[in-house]
Each structure stands twice: as C-alpha cells, then as structure tokens.
Amino acid sequence: MKADFKIFGSLAAAAVFLHVTGIGCPLRWMTGIPCAGCGMSRAVLALLHGHVREAASMHPLVFLLPPAAAAWLLW
C-alpha cells in the first residue's frame, strides 16, 4: 500500500514539474523526436468533442483507446 502512494506521488510530482516548466513530452524535449503518445491528449479531446477527422490527424491510434478503456473498466 505504501509503495502505491510512493509511485503515485512520484508520477504526480513529475507531471507537475513537466507542466510548470513547459517541457510537455520529455522524450521530445530531450531528442526532438515525438514519442508514440505525442498528440494523444489533444486527439482524445477532439474525439470527445466529436471531431473525428481532427482526432485521426492528431494521432491515428486514438480509436484504440475507447475499446481499451472499456475492456479495462469491465475487467
């Protein structure tokens, strides 16, 4: 149980640091190469607003998230 809080705290601290410094994606910041998840947040938001083409142009794998989330929630 304590380990879960340490992991969550570490991830939360890293997310806050990345947000405050404006780095965003650490891989892209360090190498200049976008990671596999770059654009996924914007694509999900576009999909939630019903902008399917825009979501697909931002990240084509966005359509795998709804079935994956449903499977995870129902597991």
Side-chain angles (χ1 to χ4, degrees), residues 40 43-44 47 55 59-72:
M40 185 62 82
V44 168
L47 189 62
H59 203 294
L61 296 178
V62 70
F63 303 110
L64 295 178
L65 285 180
W72 182 74

Side-chain angles (χ1 to χ4, degrees), residues 2-73:
K2 267 188 166 180
D4 293 337
F5 288 117
K6 286 182 183 180
I7 292 171
F8 176 75
S10 298
L11 291 174
V16 168
F17 173 77
L18 292 173
H19 178 71
V20 170
T21 58
I23 291 174
C25 176
L27 182 67
R28 188 173 192 166
W29 179 70
M30 289 187 292
T31 65
I33 301 168
C35 72
C38 281
M40 185 62 82
S41 298
R42 292 179 290 130
V44 168
L45 289 174
L47 189 62
L48 289 173
H49 285 106
H51 305 287
V52 177
R53 285 188 183 158
E54 186 179 345
S57 70
M58 289 181 190
H59 203 294
L61 296 178
V62 70
F63 303 110
L64 295 178
L65 285 180
W72 182 74
L73 288 172

